[in-house]
Amino acid sequence: MTKRSIFASLLFLSSALVAPAALAQDAGTPPDVDAPPAPSTQDEEDFDVSIPGGANQEIVVTGRFTPNVVRATPEVVSVLSSADIARTGEGDISGSLQRVTGLSVVGSGFVYVRGLGDRYSLALLNGSPLPSPEPLKRVVPLDLFPSNVIDSTLVQKSYSANFPGEFGGGVINLTTKAIPRESFLTVSGGIGWDSETTNQLGYTYYGSRTDWTGFDNGTRDVPPLLKAALASGKPILDGADFSQNDLKAIMMELVNAPTTLLQQNNHIPVNWSAGLTGGTSIALADGQLGVIATAGISNKWRTRDATQQTSVDPNLEGPPQTDFQRVITDNRVVVNGLLGFGLELGDHKFRWTNLYIRDTLKQSRLGLGKDQNVQLRDTLVQDTAWYERQLINTQLVGELRFDRLKVDLRGGYANSQREAPYERSFTYVRSNLPLEQDPVGNKFVNDLGGNRGGANIAFSDLNEDLWSGGIDLSYELAPRISATIGYAYSDTHRVAVRRAFQIRGSNLPIAVQQLRPDYLLSDATIQLYDITLIESSAQDGTAAFGADLVTHAGYAQIQAELFSGVNINAGVRYEDGKQSVAPIDLFGTGGSAIVETSLNNDYWLPAITLTWEVAPDMQLRINGSKTIARPQFRELIAQIYQDPESNRQFRGNPSLVDSELWNAEVRYEWYFGKDQRFTAAGFYKSIDRPIETFTSISTDSVANTSFANAPKATLYGGEVEVQKYFALDKMSDAAFWQSRRLVLIGNYTYTQSEIKVGAGDTTVVNGVTLNAADFFFDGSPLTGQSDHLVNFQIGLEDQDKLSQQTILVTYASPRVTSRGPSGQPDIREKPGISLDFVARQGLNLLNREIELKFEARNLTGRNYQEVQEKGDNRIFLNRYKLGRTFSLSASLKF
């Protein structure tokens, strides 16, 4: 008997319990119904079973068959269902993904698969590609996606030809909330507390009245005079194009105190969030129309008291070159909305999804320390910034079914933006000499560009558009044999501009140099002391760039049962990609020292997976494939970018080329119960020309991170996963235990990687061929790769109603974030152990469903560390305490 007929029998039995009189008339047995093919990961399949009754009676039992997708799919996948996401309690999808076997989350939501960096991963939304609002990335950060808009997430680790060739470590396909089968409305809200932030010392600045919403009210708009000057096509300098009076007038138009004055706050507010979700379904003659909408906002604060150091000594000996203690306060506001429509007409389905996400970071930083380039002086640096990231996505998907022919259509447009207006920085210095040797003595001063401090301001803008489309045609050639051909297209266009300025003054009196930033740049001081604006944007074309990536792909694959218990999924993809990054000549010089980078490559990418059902509940998979990884846009342009998260500068390398990967995997799977499994896998990857980061120290002691192709690399390892439930009804006769079970979910991933550098191997940096051994050590691990990843969940849950209590443990061993400069040790991050607790409880109050959720995160109180070590010598590039966080939220369903 098939699973479907078993399920039908259970439904029949349940009907017998509620309608015994009807069934007393020799109902008979339900017909045997063939099990359906595995549906897509986001869909369940409805079916009706008609059971003959008496002379004029018939009972129709309606049920839903939910397959085990992990088992049924022809590839190696992991699936986070809506229940899995809810159990972890994470606010964004990247937090939930770090619980998946072999996955780790680095930085602001970038997912690493089996130790391969985010460049080797691919993120899709409902099967369509996504643009990125990140300057350094082409991969979208997954912390952008609140968990309330995501229904499920599929992670496929073995390549199949229907996915884009930039697969590398795996693909992450996010599926948005499905169209509801019945009407509902849910209202939610929550508050949170951070031990290192809430009600503690932090810094902020005024900005505008509407900053708490994540939207500026126009305060940070580029003022008219500066806007006209930026559009003039001339560098904003004192000379033929702009007079000193012009520059002073521009200076006086800039918003001053609201964007410059750093304010101490001894009681940073609590975190809070609110959301609204609703949906309905309308019956049609031959189907139904569904609508779903969500809206949400979260406002969170985080303060980091960070130690940030650099060294220029190969052995890290002596005092650090720079040594700062910096307090950083972030106020992050995320606003999201989703509007989806679903139409079912017979066997055909259509889905239109619209998603809006806006992620705003208001950042204030105050640092005090020493720089050996400015000996005998303490240095005080304050920064204020506002970073807007925005994603708009609209997709239309059609699934057409014609007997043995299936036609899948998809098309989408997405736009991402990042704006950073009024990035301001002020540096004050004071000497440690007595007054008789230095008239300033023990006072902090800023002479605006002399040898005692300085001030800077910058305006950045990034816009990326992505059009995509595709069609798949699948035909059932024979029972258990189907063939698919398809075409996919994507067109990405990005423009990024950063205009940076230094603020200069001359012969400022000591009393003026001591003024706080808003007084120092007041209209009066600007006019009295000829304070002007001087553009420091690079005039070689790297202040702005345009980038394009256009891909066309055709693919064919066949899925068949070779003989009983042995299935094959084999295919090949032909993918043509044209990628270009070109400087934009902002100043009309007619040329640039930086030439356009153009990569035009095409690839044949084969993939094959064999699945052998060695026993009724056991199967073995073997996979082999070839995939690629392309350089990311900003990595190809020699433009300086200051990363506010790491406080480091990044600069691209126009000489980067594509990486090619050969992948192999063997996987054993044992499904010993419903939603219970044990899996074990071994994997191997050979990478030709992997792109790696390296760091150098500039003459002014600034750490610059750049990129280069290493000659070769290998990566191999293994992973195990267990998911097991234990019924607790036999523990006690008490009613509390009768429907409860113990949940145990654990996984472990071991990974090793090695960069291969031989005699005579070279790499190319900015057009110059250099010895690869000067950048990479033979045998070094790839950046981002942890040797050990451990995830463990233990919890209690009620099977009859919502009641869950879960302890979650995550561990990642140290991983390299960048190569050490000038022969120094590599820079390594030490993630450590994280212990979380999540409790969810459902209540019924006045016939309304209420869900309460309590979260306690980082109970071990671990620290963040990014460090260089050699012997007993240590340099902390970034070290701070990660606070313990606690939150309480509730949702009410109408």
Side-chain angles (χ1 to χ4, degrees):
M1 184 177 287
T2 65
K3 291 181 180 178
R4 185 166 177 175
S5 59
I6 293 171
F7 190 41
S9 299
L10 294 175
L11 289 171
F12 170 71
L13 177 60
S14 67
S15 299
L17 297 176
V18 297
L23 292 175
Q25 303 179 33
D26 191 18
T29 57
D32 193 24
V33 183
D34 290 338
S40 61
T41 58
Q42 65 266 37
D43 292 330
E44 297 170 317
E45 182 167 335
D46 294 326
F47 60 89
D48 296 332
V49 178
S50 297
I51 304 171
N56 299 308
Q57 296 190 38
E58 180 181 71
I59 298 174
V60 178
V61 180
T62 300
R64 179 169 295 176
F65 170 71
T66 305
N68 187 327
V69 177
V70 176
R71 179 178 183 178
T73 182
E75 299 296 335
V76 176
V77 302
S78 297
V79 175
L80 275 177
S81 66
S82 56
D84 296 326
I85 296 171
R87 183 186 287 118
T88 65
E90 301 285 356
D92 60 71
I93 200 64
S94 68
S96 300
L97 281 170
Q98 69 180 340
R99 317 290 179 182
V100 175
T101 309
L103 270 61
S104 57
V105 178
V106 179
S108 300
F110 294 101
V111 176
Y112 285 33
V113 181
R114 291 173 170 172
L116 287 172
D118 58 274
R119 75 174 67 254
Y120 298 103
S121 301
L122 179 67
L124 305 175
L125 183 68
N126 298 326
S128 296
L130 287 164
S132 176
E134 286 298 309
L136 281 172
K137 310 289 185 180
R138 197 172 64 250
V139 181
V140 64
L142 296 183
D143 66 343
L144 267 180
F145 294 90
S147 54
N148 68 305
V149 302
I150 301 300
D151 186 60
S152 64
T153 303
L154 179 144
V155 181
Q156 183 170 317
K157 300 174 186 175
S158 63
Y159 179 65
S160 55
N162 57 306
F163 280 119
E166 284 193 87
F167 189 95
V171 65
I172 300 165
N173 188 23
L174 309 177
T175 302
T176 51
K177 292 289 188 183
I179 304 303
R181 299 283 177 174
E182 59 184 23
S183 299
F184 76 98
L185 178 65
T186 302
V187 180
S188 61
I191 59 172
W193 177 76
D194 185 319
S195 63
E196 293 295 318
T197 303
T198 310
N199 207 36
Q200 302 292 323
L201 168 68
Y203 294 94
T204 186
Y205 67 98
Y206 180 75
S208 76
R209 291 182 181 274
T210 58
D211 283 3
W212 67 273
T213 67
F215 293 83
D216 176 79
N217 65 359
T219 298
R220 296 180 179 85
D221 289 350
V222 179
L225 289 178
L226 179 58
K227 188 174 184 179
L230 293 174
S232 69
K234 304 294 182 183
I236 302 174
L237 304 168
D238 185 8
D241 300 307
F242 298 93
S243 67
Q244 189 175 77
N245 287 334
D246 292 334
L247 299 178
K248 287 163 64 177
I250 292 174
M251 273 293 303
M252 288 188 290
E253 260 198 358
L254 293 175
V255 177
N256 189 16
T259 62
T260 62
L261 182 59
L262 207 60
Q263 298 172 318
Q264 179 176 310
N265 187 337
N266 293 319
H267 304 283
I268 295 295
V270 298
N271 302 326
W272 60 271
S273 63
L276 182 68
T277 302
T280 189
S281 182
I282 303 169
L284 303 176
D286 190 29
Q288 65 177 355
L289 172 67
V291 182
I292 188 169
T294 69
I297 181 173
S298 68
N299 188 310
K300 296 182 179 180
W301 295 82
R302 181 176 70 150
T303 296
R304 291 163 287 168
D305 187 357
T307 299
Q308 296 179 337
Q309 303 171 326
T310 61
S311 174
V312 295
D313 188 88
N315 298 314
L316 311 180
E317 295 177 341
Q321 185 69 19
T322 61
D323 189 356
F324 279 82
Q325 197 68 27
R326 184 171 273 111
V327 177
I328 307 164
T329 300
D330 293 337
N331 181 202
R332 185 182 181 191
V333 183
V334 178
V335 177
N336 67 84
L338 179 144
L339 179 61
F341 300 90
L343 177 63
E344 296 183 7
L345 295 175
D347 294 331
H348 309 310
K349 296 180 181 180
F350 303 90
R351 189 173 180 181
W352 183 27
T353 305
N354 304 275
L355 179 66
Y356 173 82
I357 300 174
R358 182 182 178 89
D359 186 333
T360 304
L361 183 68
K362 182 179 181 179
Q363 187 175 84
S364 307
R365 301 190 293 174
L366 183 64
L368 177 63
K370 295 183 182 298
D371 185 337
Q372 294 301 316
N373 286 336
V374 190
Q375 295 184 6
L376 301 177
R377 290 181 180 172
D378 293 327
T379 303
L380 181 73
V381 182
Q382 76 148 65
D383 305 272
T384 55
W386 174 268
Y387 304 101
E388 302 172 3
R389 300 187 300 176
Q390 181 172 285
L391 175 66
I392 299 173
N393 183 276
T394 183
Q395 298 173 328
L396 185 61
V397 176
E399 299 177 8
L400 310 179
R401 302 295 180 259
F402 307 97
D403 192 20
R404 292 194 291 174
L405 174 66
K406 299 179 181 180
V407 181
D408 292 330
L409 304 168
R410 59 191 179 276
Y413 167 74
N415 171 264
S416 66
Q417 297 180 26
R418 180 186 185 271
E419 294 184 22
Y422 282 93
E423 286 184 87
R424 310 196 75 152
S425 179
F426 292 83
T427 301
Y428 288 77
V429 297
R430 70 177 177 191
S431 69
N432 298 321
L433 297 174
L435 286 174
E436 57 270 19
Q437 297 182 38
D438 189 329
V440 176
N442 202 34
K443 301 173 182 177
F444 278 107
V445 296
N446 186 343
D447 65 359
L448 294 178
N451 58 359
R452 298 181 185 273
N456 303 282
I457 186 171
F459 296 82
S460 302
D461 183 73
L462 181 152
N463 186 83
E464 184 169 310
D465 295 300
L466 191 155
W467 295 88
S468 63
I471 180 172
D472 291 338
L473 301 174
S474 299
Y475 190 78
E476 186 180 358
L477 301 173
R480 299 182 178 85
I481 301 176
S482 62
T484 302
I485 60 172
Y487 166 77
Y489 165 80
S490 70
D491 185 348
T492 306
H493 176 67
R494 172 183 286 197
V495 176
V497 180
R498 187 175 193 273
R499 304 296 289 269
F501 305 89
Q502 295 178 353
I503 298 171
R504 293 293 178 87
S506 59
N507 300 318
L508 302 181
I510 294 298
V512 174
Q513 295 180 36
Q514 295 175 22
L515 293 175
R516 70 190 199 192
D518 58 327
Y519 290 163
L520 183 63
L521 299 183
S522 67
D523 289 355
T525 55
I526 290 171
Q527 292 175 318
L528 285 173
Y529 301 106
D530 296 329
I531 297 175
T532 59
L533 200 67
I534 298 176
E535 182 156 16
S536 56
S537 305
Q539 296 184 45
D540 59 1
T542 61
F545 71 90
D548 293 276
L549 174 61
V550 179
T551 64
H552 296 271
Y555 50 91
Q557 63 182 24
I558 187 167
Q559 185 176 339
E561 185 176 45
L562 298 179
F563 43 87
S564 180
V566 178
N567 294 276
I568 185 173
N569 187 39
V572 63
R573 183 184 187 91
Y574 173 78
E575 184 166 303
D576 175 80
K578 295 181 174 63
Q579 183 175 4
S580 63
V581 180
I584 296 175
D585 187 6
L586 290 175
F587 307 121
T589 58
S592 171
I594 306 297
V595 298
E596 176 179 347
T597 300
S598 181
L599 299 175
N600 187 356
N601 297 308
D602 61 289
Y603 300 95
W604 288 95
L605 304 174
I608 183 171
T609 301
L610 286 171
T611 303
W612 174 28
E613 189 175 353
V614 296
D617 294 317
M618 298 180 187
Q619 58 190 26
L620 186 70
R621 300 186 194 270
I622 302 175
N623 170 265
S625 64
K626 179 185 178 183
T627 56
I628 60 172
R630 297 183 176 96
Q632 304 189 65
F633 288 141
R634 189 174 280 271
E635 295 173 351
L636 286 168
I637 191 74
Q639 183 188 52
I640 293 292
Y641 167 71
Q642 183 76 25
D643 180 26
E645 182 73 18
S646 62
N647 197 40
R648 290 208 294 272
Q649 287 187 351
F650 288 79
R651 185 181 182 90
N653 174 14
S655 302
L656 296 176
V657 297
D658 295 353
S659 305
E660 298 182 33
L661 299 88
W662 287 96
N663 316 284
E665 178 168 0
V666 177
R667 182 181 181 90
Y668 166 77
E669 301 169 355
W670 177 26
Y671 299 93
F672 49 82
K674 184 179 183 297
D675 295 330
Q676 300 180 86
R677 62 184 177 270
F678 168 81
T679 66
F683 52 88
Y684 174 84
K685 296 178 183 292
S686 175
I687 311 174
D688 189 27
R689 302 185 303 273
I691 299 173
E692 288 286 291
T693 61
F694 66 90
T695 300
S696 59
I697 302 293
S698 64
T699 55
D700 55 358
S701 302
V702 176
N704 291 295
T705 300
S706 190
F707 312 89
N709 288 101
K712 288 185 180 297
T714 57
L715 180 142
Y716 60 91
E719 60 187 30
V720 294
E721 176 188 20
V722 178
Q723 182 164 324
K724 174 67 179 172
Y725 301 117
F726 295 92
L728 301 177
D729 55 331
K730 298 198 182 336
M731 285 188 57
S732 169
D733 292 333
F736 176 85
W737 298 104
Q738 296 310 300
S739 58
R740 276 177 167 76
R741 65 181 182 181
L742 178 68
V743 179
L744 296 177
I745 302 174
N747 58 70
Y748 167 71
T749 305
Y750 172 76
T751 311
Q752 287 289 295
S753 63
E754 293 182 357
I755 295 176
K756 306 289 187 180
V757 183
D761 283 338
T762 61
T763 189
V764 183
V765 178
N766 296 322
V768 180
T769 301
L770 301 167
N771 186 358
D774 292 338
F775 295 85
F776 311 106
F777 294 110
D778 184 55
S780 295
L782 292 165
T783 54
Q785 179 253 306
S786 291
D787 289 355
H788 308 281
L789 294 175
V790 179
N791 288 288
F792 181 67
Q793 298 178 37
I794 179 171
L796 289 176
E797 64 181 29
D798 196 311
Q799 300 178 75
D800 294 340
K801 60 185 178 182
L802 176 57
S803 180
Q804 292 180 341
Q805 302 81 37
T806 309
I807 295 173
L808 306 101
V809 180
T810 301
Y811 169 75
S813 61
R815 54 193 171 215
V816 174
T817 59
S818 185
R819 302 298 163 199
S822 306
Q824 291 182 352
D826 288 339
I827 300 167
R828 299 198 305 162
E829 176 192 356
K830 296 184 175 181
I833 298 177
S834 179
L835 175 65
D836 302 336
F837 174 73
V838 178
R840 301 170 63 226
Q841 183 65 47
L843 302 173
N844 193 297
L845 183 64
L846 300 178
N847 293 323
R848 302 296 185 192
E849 295 180 27
I850 299 176
E851 178 184 336
L852 300 177
K853 182 170 68 173
F854 172 74
E855 302 172 59
R857 305 283 182 185
N858 189 33
L859 294 175
T860 55
R862 66 188 176 97
N863 296 338
Y864 178 87
Q865 294 186 63
E866 201 173 6
V867 62
Q868 290 177 284
E869 296 176 296
K870 191 162 189 178
D872 295 330
N873 300 327
R874 289 186 179 182
I875 293 293
F876 292 101
L877 282 88
N878 214 359
R879 179 180 65 172
Y880 52 86
K881 290 183 178 179
L882 291 167
R884 297 176 175 87
T885 61
F886 305 88
S887 65
L888 181 65
S889 61
S891 65
L892 173 63
K893 187 174 183 179
F894 293 90

